[in-house]
C-alpha cells in the first residue's frame, strides 16, 4: 500500500493549549472576506477570519494569545484569540438592555435578557427566574462559559440549567417527533421526546446517514449539558457499540507533513457508512498495518456519530 502524503499548511501545536501569535497583516480574499495573517511561535503562518474579532481592536504588529481550539482529523488547526477583556470561567457584570420572551424550538417558554458587553455587542442570556425577569436589574452577573468565534456564551451566575429530566450518563428510549430549523443557529435539528413528554434537540447534520424517521424510537446516551443550555444526546449508532471490537476495512495510509517538518502517520479506515475513521499510528504500527486489508479495532467512544477507535492501544483522532 502506497503512503499518501498530505501537506498541512501549519505547524503542529497541541490542541487546548494557548500560544503567542504575531499579527503580520490583514489580507482580503474577497468582498468583506478578510483574514489576519498570524505567525506562530515557530515562525509559521496561519489565517484567522478577521470578521469574528473586529471589535477586539487587533492591529498588525501586535502579539496576541491564541488557544488552539481544534486540530481536525487532517491536522488543520483552528485558533481562538484571547478576548482582550473577558476570560472563560469568570463572572462579570453586564448591563441589561432589554428583556424578551419566546417559544423556543421545542415549544418551551423561554425568558431572556439582552445584555451589553464592553464593546457594546449585545448577547441573549436565558433566565429561569420569572421573578427576576418581571423586575429586571440594571446589571446581571453572568458566568462566561465559552468564547467561540468571538461569540460569548453566558449564563446568569447562580442560576442552574433547568433539569431536562435525563441524568447525565444515562441512556433512554426517545421518539423522533419532528425535524425543524433552529432559528438560534440556523441548523436543522431532530426533535426528540422522552417518556415523560420532555423534548430534546439533536443536530441533524451529524446523523443524516442514520436515516432517522419521524415516529421512530431511538436509544440515546445523555452525554453532557451543551453551552446553549440543552442536554447533548448521542443517538445509538446503527452498527457499533462502545467497548466492543469490530473489523474495519483499511482504506489507505497517510503521512501528514506539517510546515515545521513534523510527520505523522495516519491509518485511514472505513466504517459501515463508508465514513472515514482516522487513527494516528507510529512507524512500527504503520509498517504492521500498511499491507492489511482490514484491522480489528475497539470502539472507545462515539461522539456526533464519529467513532473513536483503539487498535492495540493506538488511539483514533
Amino acid at each position: 500500500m502506497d503512503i499518501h502524503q498530505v501537506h498541512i499548511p501549519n505547524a503542529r501545536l497541541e490542541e487546548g493549549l494557548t500560544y503567542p501569535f504575531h499579527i503580520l497583516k490583514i489580507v482580503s480574499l474577497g468582498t468583506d472576506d478578510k483574514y489576519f495573517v498570524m505567525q506562530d511561535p515557530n515562525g509559521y503562518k496561519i489565517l484567522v477570519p478577521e470578521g469574528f474579532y473586529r471589535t477586539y481592536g487587533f492591529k498588525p504588529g501586535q502579539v496576541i494569545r491564541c488557544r488552539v481550539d481544534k486540530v481536525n482529523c487532517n491536522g488543520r488547526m483552528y485558533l481562538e484569540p484571547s478576548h482582550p477583556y473577558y476570560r472563560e470561567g469568570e463572572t462579570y457584570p453586564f448591563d441589561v438592555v432589554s428583556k424578551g420572551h419566546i417559544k423556543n424550538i421545542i415549544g418551551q417558554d423561554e425568558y431572556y435578557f439582552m445584555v451589553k458587553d464592553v464593546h457594546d455587542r449585545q448577547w441573549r442570556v436565558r433566565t429561569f427566574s420569572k421573578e427576576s425577569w418581571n423586575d429586571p436589574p440594571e446589571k446581571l452577573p453572568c458566568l462566561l462559559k465559552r468564547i467561540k468565534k468571538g461569540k460569548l456564551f453566558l449564563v446568569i451566575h447562580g442560576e442552574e440549567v433547568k433539569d431536562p429530566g435525563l441524568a447525565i450518563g444515562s441512556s433512554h428510549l426517545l421518539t423522533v417527533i419532528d425535524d425543524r430549523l433552529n432559528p438560534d443557529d440556523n441548523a436543522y435539528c431532530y426533535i426528540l421526546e422522552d417518556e415523560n413528554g420532555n423534548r430534546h434537540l439533536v443536530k441533524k447534520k451529524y446523523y443524516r446517514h442514520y436515516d432517522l424517521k419521524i415516529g421512530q424510537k431511538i436509544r440515546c446516551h445523555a452525554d453532557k449539558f451543551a453551552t446553549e443550555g440543552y442536554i447533548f444526546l448521542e443517538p445509538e449508532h446503527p452498527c457499533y457499540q462502545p467497548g466492543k471490537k469490530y473489523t474495519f476495512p483499511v482504506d489507505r495510509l497517510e503521512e501528514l507533513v506539517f510546515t515545521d517538518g513534523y510527520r505523522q502517520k495516519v491509518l485511514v479506515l472505513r466504517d459501515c457508512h463508508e465514513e472515514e475513521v482516522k487513527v494516528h499510528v507510529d512507524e512500527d504500527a504503520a509498517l504492521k498495518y500498511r499491507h492489511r486489508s482490514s484491522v480489528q479495532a475497539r470502539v472507545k467512544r462515539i461522539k456526533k456519530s464519529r467513532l473513536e477507535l483503539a487498535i492495540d492501544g493506538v488511539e483514533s483522532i
Side-chain angles (χ1 to χ4, degrees):
M1 182 189 299
D2 293 333
I3 299 177
H4 298 262
Q5 283 196 344
V6 180
H7 291 272
I8 309 301
N10 53 257
R12 184 177 181 269
L13 300 178
E14 190 171 340
E15 185 174 298
L17 296 186
T18 299
Y19 300 88
F21 281 78
H22 182 204
I23 303 176
L24 299 178
K25 58 183 177 180
I26 299 174
V27 297
S28 179
L29 302 182
T31 305
D32 201 32
D33 192 18
K34 295 181 179 180
Y35 290 82
F36 293 112
V37 180
M38 304 277 205
Q39 187 177 53
D40 75 10
N42 301 314
Y44 298 97
K45 298 175 184 176
I46 185 171
L47 295 178
V48 174
E50 181 262 356
F52 298 137
Y53 311 102
R54 198 158 288 161
T55 60
Y56 284 22
F58 293 156
K59 303 292 182 185
Q62 276 186 277
V63 175
I64 62 172
R65 305 282 292 175
C66 295
R67 182 181 67 226
V68 179
D69 214 30
K70 180 182 178 182
V71 180
N72 72 11
C73 58
N74 294 317
R76 291 182 180 269
M77 190 167 61
Y78 298 87
L79 302 179
E80 185 63 42
S82 295
H83 196 285
Y85 182 82
Y86 299 112
R87 295 291 178 266
E88 292 177 346
E90 299 291 330
T91 298
Y92 302 90
F94 286 82
D95 291 333
V96 176
V97 177
S98 62
K99 67 177 184 179
H101 162 252
I102 60 170
K103 282 279 188 182
N104 64 22
I105 186 175
I106 57 176
Q108 294 175 334
D109 287 305
E110 191 171 303
Y111 297 88
Y112 64 89
F113 296 108
M114 295 301 298
V115 300
K116 183 173 64 174
D117 69 14
V118 294
H119 296 137
D120 288 331
R121 295 185 71 184
Q122 293 190 20
W123 308 101
R124 192 171 81 183
V125 187
R126 188 176 182 180
T127 180
F128 297 100
S129 170
K130 192 66 184 305
E131 182 180 351
S132 175
W133 187 84
N134 285 332
D135 186 17
E138 291 186 4
K139 290 185 180 290
L140 268 181
C142 293
L143 172 65
L144 179 55
K145 297 284 286 185
R146 187 183 184 196
I147 305 175
K148 184 174 183 180
K149 296 180 179 179
K151 180 179 179 181
L152 307 186
F153 290 85
L154 302 168
V155 296
I156 298 174
H157 179 71
E159 283 199 17
E160 299 295 328
V161 175
K162 195 172 183 180
D163 183 7
L166 303 180
I168 302 300
S170 60
S171 292
H172 301 267
L173 196 64
L174 297 100
T175 304
V176 182
I177 64 169
D178 207 347
D179 171 1
R180 300 176 189 167
L181 180 70
N182 189 346
D184 289 341
D185 57 8
N186 290 317
Y188 279 95
C189 296
Y190 293 112
I191 311 297
L192 307 182
E193 189 172 79
D194 64 29
E195 59 185 4
N196 297 315
N198 298 314
R199 293 182 176 183
H200 310 272
L201 293 180
V202 168
K203 285 195 174 179
K204 187 174 182 178
K205 67 179 181 179
Y206 302 121
Y207 307 100
R208 292 186 187 278
H209 49 303
Y210 283 23
D211 197 28
L212 301 178
K213 306 291 186 186
I214 293 175
Q216 182 179 347
K217 291 186 179 296
I218 58 171
R219 185 161 292 280
C220 296
H221 178 75
D223 191 29
K224 63 178 182 178
F225 284 111
T227 310
E228 296 83 353
Y230 296 104
I231 197 164
F232 182 83
L233 295 174
E234 183 66 44
E236 190 175 77
H237 199 287
C239 306
Y240 308 107
Q241 292 182 29
K244 293 190 175 182
K245 280 190 173 183
Y246 301 88
T247 300
F248 293 87
V250 177
D251 185 83
R252 64 188 184 278
L253 182 64
E254 290 183 345
E255 182 179 54
L256 306 183
V257 183
F258 293 82
T259 51
D260 58 357
Y262 182 86
R263 293 168 182 263
Q264 174 68 64
K265 296 292 195 304
V266 179
L267 193 65
V268 183
L269 311 178
R270 293 280 179 179
D271 70 9
C272 64
H273 293 125
E274 290 298 310
E275 297 285 327
E276 292 184 350
V277 185
K278 297 189 174 185
V279 185
H280 279 184
V281 293
D282 58 22
E283 293 294 334
D284 290 339
L287 288 173
K288 179 178 178 180
Y289 296 118
R290 65 177 295 184
H291 296 300
R292 299 270 188 95
S293 60
S294 63
V295 296
Q296 280 268 315
R298 178 174 57 84
V299 177
K300 286 186 59 191
R301 187 184 181 203
I302 303 173
K303 183 178 181 181
K304 297 178 180 177
S305 83
R306 301 291 294 178
L307 304 181
E308 294 181 14
L309 303 179
I311 308 172
D312 294 337
V314 179
E315 308 294 316
S316 69
I317 56 174

